[in-house]
Amino acid sequence: MRELVPGGNLPLPDVALSLQVPGPFDLSVLITGDSGKVAGDGDFVFYNQRSAPGARLHAGGAGIDPRRLRAGASRVTVAISPADPGTALGRLPVPTLTVTGEGVGVLARFTPARPTHETVLLLAEIYRRGAAWKLRALGQGYADGLAGVARDFGVDVTEEATAPPAPPPAPLPAPLPPPAAPTSGTEAGFAALVRAERLRAGLPPVTMESRLSAAARAHAAVMAKQRRLSAESPDGISVFQRITAGGYRYLRIEQQLVSGPRTPGEFMDYCLTAEATRGPLHDAALSEAGIAHAVDARSGGFYWTALWARPFTADGLLRTTAEVLALTNAARAAAGLRPLAGDPRLAAAAQAHSADMAERAFYAHTSPEGRAPWDRAAAAGSGHRSIGENIACGQRTPREVVQGWMDSPGHRANILGEDFTHLGVGFAGGGPAGTYWTQLFGRP
């Protein structure tokens, strides 16, 4: 079983799935094709329409069988809303999604950050890559109810699709044309607000980085075109791949994908609403940022992408991998085991594998050419007779990734392997998941 973080993904076995979200929540499922839109209202499974081919709601969750979805379906998005429409998500327990495979047990668990003003939360999506299916954790919120989610996915919303009855909406203002690029005032205004807030909090300033803003601009435009928040475009390109394609390298990355705010000031208000949304703004380690918005010309809706980064440096990479080694040895010490020594050849092989996974957008112990961990270790000049490997993707910090490995029995067994004596660590940013980590263990 794997604990997922926002943006983390996991290959799924070819079996029927059960998704459980215990608590006072209503669960909804949206079935879409490559366009990101439903084929019809029958693709929206919610409390008034509880089943569709390959998807059925049940008490506390839903059953999803990717093999039985309608023709052309390539994505299933799972959302929750309060069972009591008058209750805000922020006043309810934090939801936890557990995904179980028929005959194979628990596959993954995901607990998003606590919602604040959001009324609907997109928890996860099950999506097809080639002939296989994968699971991605989302944790993205909507402030305008289930009807807003339905509209963004192309559902013809009626009064019955909204939980609480509401008066007819006021006419929308005339749609604004989507800007070809963010105005200098958008970025400059946001930079001034960030500078003032960081100063107030006693934190160092943030530099607005043009390559981050360019990636944010491209991604915001994609979301406006799709009319929904998503970490990927319909062609499978993630915001992280847009960043690295622009020549920017990072050691940490945080993204905020938001719809609704119309000005930099309103976006800053969103950032300050809760501890989770304040996180990047108040993180001293994140020293560079980029922001952009795009407008959906059909509805006038604003879609924002904010990127916060700790830029790559060679020294920073060494500190990052050294922290993974130190945390690994702390776990071994707690178990009464001797520490592992850093090994430059294992480190070179681990770093190359992390970089390869990020660059070629795969996640596996074996490379597309069939090279296994021991092959990579030998090619790097390692003389260790026994090799073990842990990999992970999506985790943002050394502490987060080591804790994730320790929570997984198979990865934990490598970390606490009594026979291992040496360790190499690799990290790379980019790819669909944003971060890729490798531990390569060896013994003489």
Side-chain angles (χ1 to χ4, degrees), residues 152 172-176 227 262 295-303:
D152 277 4
L172 289 171
L176 298 175
R227 300 173 72 183
R262 302 180 70 86
V295 184
D296 172 22
R298 296 158 293 182
S299 67
F302 279 60
Y303 291 81

Side-chain angles (χ1 to χ4, degrees), residues 198-440:
R198 299 265 287 201
L199 181 63
R200 186 199 65 78
L203 297 169
V206 166
T207 299
M208 302 304 290
E209 217 288 339
S210 61
R211 289 168 295 180
L212 290 176
S213 289
R217 182 163 59 251
H219 194 72
V222 166
M223 293 194 299
K225 184 176 181 180
Q226 295 182 95
R227 300 173 72 183
R228 70 184 181 98
L229 301 176
S230 175
E232 282 190 359
S233 59
D235 58 2
I237 302 300
S238 74
V239 65
F240 311 113
Q241 288 167 303
R242 295 184 192 282
I243 295 169
T244 54
Y248 187 86
R249 299 175 68 192
Y250 56 81
L251 292 170
R252 270 193 63 198
I253 193 72
E254 299 288 345
Q255 59 169 340
Q256 290 175 310
L257 309 179
V258 182
S259 63
R262 302 180 70 86
T263 66
E266 289 181 9
F267 188 90
M268 178 59 73
D269 289 342
Y270 160 81
C271 291
L272 295 172
T273 54
E275 183 177 353
T277 54
R278 282 194 299 270
L281 176 64
H282 285 176
D283 193 328
L286 301 174
S287 60
E288 296 186 343
I291 188 170
H293 73 268
V295 184
D296 172 22
R298 296 158 293 182
S299 67
F302 279 60
Y303 291 81
W304 294 76
T305 299
L307 302 170
W308 309 79
R310 176 187 173 197
F312 177 91
T313 65
D315 287 345
L317 177 62
L318 289 175
R319 288 192 294 271
T320 296
T321 56
E323 186 176 351
V324 173
L325 174 60
L327 290 167
T328 299
N329 280 333
R332 289 177 65 89
L337 299 171
R338 66 181 182 275
L340 302 173
D343 184 285
R345 293 181 177 85
L346 292 177
Q351 181 61 36
H353 189 55
S354 286
D356 192 28
M357 289 191 290
E359 182 177 350
R360 295 200 285 172
F362 75 94
Y363 177 66
H365 291 286
T366 303
S367 73
E369 297 81 14
R371 287 166 61 89
W374 39 90
D375 298 322
R376 295 190 289 271
S382 170
H384 292 92
R385 292 182 299 153
S386 180
I387 295 292
E389 185 178 75
N390 285 344
I391 58 174
C393 66
Q395 293 83 359
R396 297 295 186 252
T397 66
R399 187 168 299 278
E400 190 176 292
V401 73
V402 173
Q403 186 60 56
W405 281 326
M406 288 297 292
D407 290 341
S408 169
H411 299 93
R412 180 187 179 94
N414 273 339
I415 288 177
L416 301 184
E418 295 184 12
D419 293 336
F420 288 133
T421 57
H422 292 80
L423 178 67
V425 178
F427 166 84
T435 59
Y436 292 81
W437 306 80
T438 303
Q439 284 184 312
L440 203 56

